[in-house]
């Protein structure tokens, strides 16, 4: 029973899948979804979906010295230009 | 299980006296590792640990007892915990060459206590797995039976400690990833109360479930290490303080609940060992009662909705832009698609896709929303249960260590083995796995663990009960010999 579109999921997940992967993952995911669907047999109070959560904030003050991590971070970056990480164009105008 | 290395207490005495030095310990550790490379417990060994060991040796000569408590003692750390300037790979292709730019808070604490980290340990990719089979660096073998899995995802930490030469190891536990490998390798494994130890510097998998965990050779060493890494942290807003939860006292006599119904699916030998342990415990100031935990079993279904959801969110950052594997495409989107296609293994892709599905429009409420509601109900069920009993005990795993490949075909069978461990992460309570003996399989004696679960912030009680189990186990072993 297919109620999900593996290609749509792959696009949303930003992962390119080959045909073999699409098939095997589709089957696996279906099996798992059939298993987890059993939670629908439980009656729950819909209003409280999350536990006792509350926000924790801190002062917006600078706790890091300038340049403390810059070089190390840039060393991990695939493409660097001066003190910037270089990325591909985000907006493509054709 | 015989351990080839002195206890922390004994090692400290030896170090102070100078009879055996941190440098000696370092060489011993490296020798054991060199003789066991086929176990594949480590991803990277730190050669600069030798210099640290030399410095520790000098410090003991000068300061003797006035030295940090773990000074010079070898530790191993799972490779999803950041150690400054060392590679943090999470067992994945996508982070194979990523170098941590800072120490995780728990690593800072470990270093302050003087411990020497001798290497990073192998793990299932991004901590997803219960067998150690999904690491891009190859599988880790169980030192007690090399045809079998050591458990996972902290497979390398468990194997490293089981081999000897180190005093303890750190891992992470999101659904059982410390307790289960501890059980399979004959070790003590602890998952602290959620929020007890800081997650700052841990490569996140499921942020509402992750907790640093401890592997140790005995209960008191586990408690010692947990005490050291534990503590409120300004860098992790989910850490708790001493007053977050009501105090959980230790008692002279404990009332312990066993969810009998859930034992149905447990392997016969494991069940017998479990019952035997309970029988012995019930003669020594421990009252065993049957309890009903109908939601406990549903934990697996809720977990395998929630964890993929959180994973899909936490792993979105691996896009080849700021760090990690980076594959070029014709444009930005293609770069993402190819980087993640090449960088993630099968299990990781599976969980991300599952997560994307359960969070998607039209399905969110039925799956993720429902699973979180179930989770909340599980918390309430536990709260009610603590009114009747002081702790809950189960086997850590329904089965002993399985053979490599045995559980790779069916996507569910490995998940089903997590039945006793995941409810603990879902509800955030602390739990410990203590060895309870061995079961025989084809001539191998495979260790099996027993799990003690306590209320939130109930570690003191948890360790107290665990010590009694440990005492019984030692007595049993002495009876045999």
């Amino acid at each position: 029973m297919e109620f999900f579109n593996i290609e749509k999921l792959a696009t949303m997940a930003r992962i390119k899948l080959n045909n073999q992967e699409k098939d095997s993952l589709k089957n696996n995911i279906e099996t798992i979804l059939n298993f987890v669907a059993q939670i629908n047999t439980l009656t729950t109070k819909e209003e409280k979906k999350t536990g006792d959560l509350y926000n924790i904030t801190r002062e917006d003050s600078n706790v890091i010295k300038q340049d403390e991590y810059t070089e190390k971070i840039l060393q991990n970056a695939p493409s660097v230009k001066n003190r910037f990480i270089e990325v591909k164009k985000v907006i493509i105008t054709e | 299980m015989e351990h080839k290395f002195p206890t922390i207490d004994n090692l400290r005495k030896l170090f102070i006296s100078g009879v055996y030095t941190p440098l000696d310990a370092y060489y011993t550790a490296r020798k054991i590792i060199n003789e066991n490379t086929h176990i594949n417990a480590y991803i990277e060994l730190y050669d600069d640990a030798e210099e640290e060991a030399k410095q520790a040796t000098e410090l003991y000569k000068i300061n003797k007892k006035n030295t940090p408590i773990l000074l010079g003692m070898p530790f191993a750390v799972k490779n999803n915990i950041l150690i400054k300037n060392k590679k943090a790979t999470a067992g994945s292709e996508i982070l194979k060459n990523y170098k941590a730019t800072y120490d995780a808070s728990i690593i800072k604490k470990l270093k302050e206590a003087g411990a020497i980290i001798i290497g990073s340990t192998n793990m299932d990719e991004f901590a997803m797995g219960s067998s150690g089979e999904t690491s891009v660096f190859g599988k880790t073998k169980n030192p007690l039976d090399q045809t079998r899995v050591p458990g996972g995802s902290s497979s390398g930490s468990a194997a490293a400690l089981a081999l000897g030469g180190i005093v303890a190891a750190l891992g992470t536990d999101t659904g059982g990833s410390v307790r289960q490998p501890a059980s399979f390798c004959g070790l003590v494994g602890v998952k602290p109360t959620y929020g007890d130890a800081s997650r700052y510097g841990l490569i996140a998998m499921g942020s509402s479930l992750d907790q640093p965990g401890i592997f140790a050779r005995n209960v008191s060493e586990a408690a010692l290490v947990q005490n050291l890494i534990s503590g409120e942290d300004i860098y992790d807003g989910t850490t708790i303080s001493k007053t977050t939860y009501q105090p959980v006292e230790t008692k002279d006599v404990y009332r312990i609940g066993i969810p009998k119904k859930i034992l149905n699916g447990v392997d016969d030998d494991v069940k017998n060992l479990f019952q035997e342990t309970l029988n012995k415990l019930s003669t020594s100031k421990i009252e065993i009662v049957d309890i009903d935990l109908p939601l406990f079993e549903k934990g697996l279904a809720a977990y395998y909705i929630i964890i993929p959801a959180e994973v899909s969110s936490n792993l979105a950052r691996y896009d080849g832009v700021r760090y990690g594997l980076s594959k070029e495409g014709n444009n930005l989107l293609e770069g993402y698609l190819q980087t993640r296609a090449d960088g993630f293994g099968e299990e990781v892709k599976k969980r991300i896709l599952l997560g994307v599905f359960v969070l998607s429009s039209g399905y969110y409420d039925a799956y993720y929303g429902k699973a979180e509601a179930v989770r909340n109900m599980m918390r309430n069920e536990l709260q009610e249960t603590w009114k009747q009993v002081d702790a809950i005990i189960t086997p850590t795993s329904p089965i002993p260590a399985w053979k490599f490949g045995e559980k790779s075909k069916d996507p569910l069978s490995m998940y089903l083995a997590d039945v006793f461990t995941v409810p603990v992460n879902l509800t955030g309570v602390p739990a410990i796995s203590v060895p309870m003996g061995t079961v025989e399989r084809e001539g191998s004696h495979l260790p099996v663990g027993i799990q003690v679960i306590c209320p939130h912030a109930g570690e003191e009680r948890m360790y107290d009960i665990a010590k009694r189990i440990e005492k019984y186990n030692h007595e049993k072993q002495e009876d045999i010999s």
Side-chain angles (χ1 to χ4, degrees):
Chain A
M1 188 189 89
E2 196 190 312
F3 56 104
F4 62 88
N5 183 322
I6 191 85
E7 272 160 15
K8 260 199 194 144
L9 291 184
T11 306
M12 278 198 276
R14 296 292 189 257
I15 302 174
K16 190 178 198 175
L17 298 175
N18 63 42
N19 288 327
Q20 191 194 20
E21 277 176 318
K22 280 182 198 168
D23 284 331
S24 85
L25 283 168
K26 196 173 78 185
N27 290 330
N28 280 330
I29 289 171
E30 216 165 86
T31 308
I32 298 167
L33 283 175
N34 285 333
F35 170 72
V36 299
Q38 62 181 274
I39 55 161
N40 284 315
T41 61
L42 297 165
T43 8
T44 53
K45 290 196 194 108
E46 292 310 319
E47 331 89 56
K48 197 142 191 252
K49 287 181 187 161
T50 52
D52 293 299
L53 299 174
Y54 52 93
N55 279 327
I56 299 206
T57 56
R58 62 170 175 82
E59 280 299 305
D60 186 16
S61 59
N62 232 347
V63 288
I64 298 172
K65 282 178 282 170
Q66 193 171 33
D67 286 335
E68 190 175 343
Y69 295 98
T70 312
E71 212 180 302
K72 285 204 181 15
I73 289 172
L74 290 176
Q75 270 166 22
N76 277 320
S79 186
V80 170
K81 197 168 191 175
N82 302 323
R83 282 169 60 89
F84 297 93
I85 295 175
E86 213 178 5
V87 304
K88 278 249 188 300
K89 258 199 265 198
V90 176
I91 300 166
I92 302 163
T93 45
E94 298 263 331
Chain B
M1 195 197 129
E2 217 191 289
H3 293 287
K4 307 176 182 71
F5 208 55
T7 60
I8 289 177
D9 268 347
N10 288 338
L11 198 56
R12 182 123 172 104
K13 290 186 188 124
L14 291 167
F15 282 172
I16 292 171
S17 72
V19 164
Y20 187 70
T21 66
L23 194 57
D24 292 327
Y26 171 76
Y27 291 142
T28 304
R30 288 298 291 251
K31 182 164 180 283
I32 291 174
I33 294 169
N34 288 342
E35 288 166 357
N36 290 285
T37 50
H38 52 283
I39 296 291
N40 203 22
Y42 290 85
I43 290 178
E44 193 183 348
L45 293 171
Y46 302 152
D47 291 330
D48 52 5
E50 188 179 6
E51 184 55 43
E52 286 176 42
K54 285 185 183 155
Q55 285 172 18
T57 304
E58 287 311 302
L59 276 170
Y60 271 115
K61 280 189 193 146
I62 304 164
N63 294 332
K64 303 266 173 200
K65 268 187 275 193
N66 294 326
T67 44
I69 188 155
L70 292 179
L71 183 67
M73 304 206 188
F75 265 72
V77 172
K78 186 178 184 181
N79 204 215
N80 62 350
I81 300 172
L82 265 52
I83 301 170
K84 192 171 180 176
N85 297 330
K86 301 292 187 194
K87 285 193 200 153
T89 67
S92 179
E93 183 70 44
I94 215 166
L95 286 179
K96 229 174 181 176
N97 293 304
Y98 172 75
K99 269 200 181 155
T101 58
Y102 62 99
D103 278 330
S105 295
I106 60 173
I107 294 298
K108 258 198 227 124
K109 291 187 169 204
L110 203 63
K111 286 183 177 178
E112 273 160 24
I116 293 180
I117 301 169
I118 57 161
S120 59
T121 56
N122 207 358
M123 53 183 284
D124 277 307
E125 188 182 358
F126 279 106
M128 299 181 208
S130 314
S131 67
E133 292 171 293
T134 65
S135 170
V136 78
F137 299 100
K139 63 182 189 235
T140 299
K141 295 182 182 166
N142 189 323
L144 296 132
D145 179 336
Q146 294 174 31
T147 65
R148 292 174 187 269
V149 304
S153 61
S154 311
S155 35
S157 281
L161 186 58
L163 281 172
I166 55 173
V167 300
L170 293 186
T172 60
D173 189 314
T174 303
S177 292
V178 165
R179 290 162 287 152
Q180 184 249 37
S183 162
F184 285 3
C185 293
L187 304 164
V188 172
V190 176
K191 185 207 81 74
T193 303
Y194 181 80
D196 178 80
S198 174
R199 291 177 300 106
Y200 181 71
L202 262 57
I203 295 179
M205 179 194 168
S207 308
S208 76
L209 302 148
D210 293 341
Q211 229 343 240
I214 302 109
F215 288 96
R217 294 160 304 167
N218 61 57
V219 175
S220 62
E221 289 187 344
L224 189 151
V225 176
Q226 184 186 342
N227 238 337
L228 276 166
I229 64 168
S230 161
E232 211 172 351
D233 185 16
I234 54 165
Y235 296 109
D236 177 356
T238 61
T239 52
I240 58 176
S241 73
K242 302 249 180 267
T243 55
T244 304
Y245 290 108
Q246 294 294 323
V248 179
E249 337 83 11
T250 52
K251 296 181 178 177
D252 202 37
V253 183
Y254 288 113
R255 198 146 188 269
I256 295 187
I258 313 290
K260 275 282 162 105
K261 285 206 191 103
I262 302 169
L263 299 179
N264 286 334
V266 174
D267 170 88
D268 284 334
D269 293 329
V270 174
K271 218 187 289 188
N272 290 336
L273 201 51
F274 182 65
Q275 196 54 62
E276 202 186 293
T277 309
L278 291 180
N279 290 343
K280 180 66 192 216
L281 279 178
S282 62
T283 67
S284 67
K285 296 185 176 179
I286 286 186
E287 190 194 335
I288 310 272
V289 299
D290 263 340
I291 53 171
D292 214 11
L293 286 178
L295 289 174
F296 199 86
E297 230 180 342
K298 293 286 182 244
L300 267 179
Y303 180 81
Y304 280 105
I305 291 171
I306 294 169
I307 195 63
E310 296 197 12
V311 154
S312 70
S313 175
N314 276 328
L315 269 64
R317 70 192 67 181
Y318 304 108
D319 55 15
V321 173
R322 288 156 299 166
Y323 41 70
L325 184 75
S326 184
K327 290 285 168 158
E328 286 260 317
N330 288 330
N331 54 44
L332 194 61
L333 177 60
E334 271 190 38
Y336 292 159
L337 295 168
Q338 200 60 54
T339 297
R340 292 157 70 79
D342 293 351
F344 289 142
E346 192 193 326
E347 182 64 26
V348 171
K349 284 178 185 166
K350 194 191 302 176
R351 296 208 197 184
I352 293 175
L353 291 170
L354 245 174
V356 164
F357 175 75
V358 301
L359 290 173
S360 63
S361 170
Y363 297 102
Y364 183 103
D365 286 328
Y367 286 92
Y368 182 73
K370 190 74 178 183
E372 278 290 330
V374 168
R375 187 179 184 178
N376 210 39
M377 270 169 62
M378 287 176 71
R379 287 193 189 104
N380 293 337
E381 181 183 75
L382 261 190
Q383 283 308 112
E384 285 307 304
T385 307
W386 299 136
K387 294 178 184 165
Q388 305 161 41
V389 297
D390 302 312
I392 295 167
I393 288 186
T394 72
T396 304
S397 166
I399 48 177
W402 53 84
K403 288 206 176 250
F404 284 112
E406 204 181 300
K407 294 203 175 289
S408 309
K409 287 135 209 156
D410 172 14
L412 280 178
S413 66
M414 211 181 301
Y415 293 174
L416 293 175
D418 293 338
V419 64
F420 297 122
T421 49
V422 308
V424 171
N425 301 82
L426 284 169
T427 51
V429 287
I432 186 171
S433 178
V434 183
M436 66 168 170
T438 61
V439 300
E440 200 183 315
R441 288 286 183 280
E442 297 171 16
S444 284
H445 295 279
L446 304 176
V448 184
I450 188 169
Q451 177 178 239
V452 179
I453 306 167
C454 277
H456 289 104
E459 271 85 339
E460 214 187 327
R461 181 187 292 179
M462 180 186 81
Y463 284 119
D464 191 32
I465 297 171
K467 280 201 180 121
R468 297 189 196 189
I469 295 172
E470 188 177 58
K471 186 163 171 281
Y472 158 63
N473 232 3
H474 286 159
E475 286 165 7
K476 187 170 75 170
Q477 279 173 359
E478 277 157 20
D479 288 341
I480 294 170
S481 59

